[in-house]
Amino acid sequence: MEIVKDRTLFQGMHVDVYRNLNKPGMFSIRSRKTGLVVAYAASVTLHDCQFVVSEKSRQRVLDRQVRTVHSVVRGYFHSADDKANLNEYQVGYYNPYKTPTFINEGTNEPVFEAGEVYCYGSRAYFKNQS
């Protein structure tokens, strides 16, 4: 994990996590309180999560065909750069060109909330779906 500019990140902090468009394989961790990116990590585990997509920004992506950050996993930070047993999770993904929401890859159903999310690679692995 790489902390940005002496900013703080602590367990239980309310954050938004999204794929970093300029650092392949990395996620940005943004404080909900300040709106600033506090860290980068290859994997992030969150609790009490929501899957959030800005429809207005998604439409802009579709119109302009330019990637922008407009979807996040919102939750409470637990850990970063850990390894998880992916067999314990369901697989979620988001692609603005195919779907307006995060999708459960196994059932093709929309996913809006989860008890725990493990962000890794290009997927959001989740369990305890609400």
Side-chain angles (χ1 to χ4, degrees), residues 26-114:
M26 297 294 278
F27 289 91
S28 294
I29 305 168
R30 181 174 63 201
S31 166
R32 291 282 300 144
K33 184 176 181 180
T34 66
L36 298 174
V37 172
V38 295
Y40 303 105
S43 68
V44 182
T45 303
L46 303 172
H47 290 286
D48 300 323
C49 305
Q50 296 177 314
F51 295 90
V52 180
V53 176
S54 166
E55 182 58 28
K56 183 176 180 179
S57 296
R58 177 178 171 268
Q59 289 302 321
R60 201 172 318 129
V61 168
L62 296 176
D63 292 343
R64 297 181 186 166
Q65 300 289 304
V66 177
R67 296 184 327 164
T68 63
V69 174
H70 66 278
S71 64
V72 299
V73 179
R74 181 169 293 157
Y76 295 92
F77 179 77
H78 181 264
S79 60
D81 292 336
D82 291 339
K83 300 289 183 202
N85 180 355
L86 299 181
N87 293 330
E88 296 177 1
Y89 294 84
Q90 297 179 65
V91 182
Y93 76 94
Y94 171 70
N95 181 334
Y97 302 105
K98 295 182 179 180
T99 176
T101 64
F102 281 82
I103 296 293
N104 180 326
E105 196 171 79
T107 64
N108 287 322
E109 295 291 324
V111 180
F112 299 103
E113 296 179 336

